[in-house]
Amino acid sequence: MDKKSTKKDLRPFMADFDLMYGIMRNPDSQLVRLASSMRGHYADERALEELIARGDPVHYEVFEKTVPQKKGHLQFGISKTYPGTVGGECFMTKGHYHAVADTGEVYLCLRGEGYMLMKLSNGDSAVERFLPGNMVYVPPFWGHRSVCTSDEPLITFYVYPAEAGHNYGDIEKEGFPVRVFKRAGKVEIVPNKKG
Ligand code: F6R
Ligand code: ZN
């Protein structure tokens, strides 16, 4: 192969997905967040510590192809949030704003069910449902967190401007305005006392 045609130069390339299982077969990177990465995010801190002591299960994973974190490029990947609860609260991602705040993101649900919780720093908030085939549009400036409510992983394909970065801002302290619980198979969205 011509040296100029290597991936390093970011020639066009292909990512290989299994849409049936919501898997990227050839990711360049994998981020794994365990229960112990989630301290400060769930309402029931004691239940989280018990879960960590019982084996520290994976809460979510993110699979990506590497692209330059520069304006003009698009970062994309697969986010996989596992089923489970912490004191009844459904497993979820930490959630973030984008460091370049005026950048949006789209999330297409491939498998599983759940919600995207969203908020603006002025107090406005929104919740959209994830079901296979639903695409959630996260406009610029909106913080976003995925929550899995199904008995199988919630799997989404996402794309956003590659320069966006992550800003965890007030999220660890404030959370989102609502929390999602699942008790005896029933999903409930309740106001967050902290949010
Ligand atoms: C990127 C994006 C996703 C999340 C991923 C992990 O803008 O929204 O790739 O980074 O789902 O979520 P956090 O960053 O909240 O741990
Ligand atoms: Zn994002």
Side-chain angles (χ1 to χ4, degrees):
M1 191 198 289
D2 184 328
K3 244 191 160 180
K4 285 190 180 132
S5 307
T6 60
K7 171 82 196 309
K8 201 164 154 239
D9 302 306
L10 210 65
R11 300 271 307 159
F13 66 93
M14 191 271 302
D16 183 11
F17 293 92
D18 180 333
L19 293 180
M20 176 79 176
Y21 292 102
I23 290 166
M24 195 198 295
R25 293 197 183 98
N26 60 343
D28 294 328
S29 68
Q30 178 182 6
L31 168 78
V32 181
R33 293 239 208 260
L34 305 174
S36 53
S37 329
M38 297 298 292
R39 288 189 171 102
H41 291 287
Y42 290 101
D44 189 337
E45 288 171 19
R46 201 157 62 172
L48 182 66
E49 290 308 323
E50 282 167 12
L51 191 61
I52 294 167
R54 286 206 310 273
D56 203 9
V58 175
H59 278 217
Y60 58 101
E61 293 173 288
V62 180
F63 303 86
E64 289 189 342
K65 296 298 284 181
T66 303
V67 302
Q69 310 285 290
K70 286 198 259 180
K71 200 167 159 60
H73 286 279
L74 295 170
Q75 180 66 64
F76 64 92
I78 290 279
S79 170
K80 182 174 185 182
T81 307
Y82 284 86
T85 56
V86 177
E89 189 173 1
C90 295
F91 282 12
M92 61 191 182
T93 64
K94 287 181 181 221
H96 59 269
Y97 301 95
H98 290 162
V100 179
D102 59 351
T103 53
E105 184 161 359
V106 292
Y107 278 79
L108 174 63
C109 180
L110 303 177
R111 281 196 72 119
E113 293 184 20
Y115 291 93
M116 180 68 97
L117 311 186
M118 290 167 280
K119 69 170 186 171
L120 282 174
S121 49
N122 72 5
D124 198 359
S125 65
V127 176
E128 291 292 342
R129 186 98 170 89
F130 276 133
L131 289 171
N134 284 14
M135 194 203 82
V136 176
Y137 183 76
V138 181
F141 302 104
W142 287 76
H144 43 286
R145 161 181 285 170
S146 305
V147 183
C148 175
T149 57
S150 44
D151 295 330
E152 63 170 309
L154 168 67
I155 299 178
T156 54
F157 171 77
Y158 63 83
V159 188
Y160 65 97
E163 80 277 18
H166 294 75
N167 169 12
Y168 292 91
D170 62 357
I171 287 172
E172 185 164 340
K173 192 159 156 267
E174 304 291 338
F176 282 73
V178 295
R179 291 184 179 278
V180 182
F181 290 84
K182 190 174 177 184
R183 292 194 177 99
K186 195 169 163 277
V187 175
E188 274 178 73
I189 302 180
V190 304
N192 177 17
K193 290 178 202 121
K194 234 162 113 178

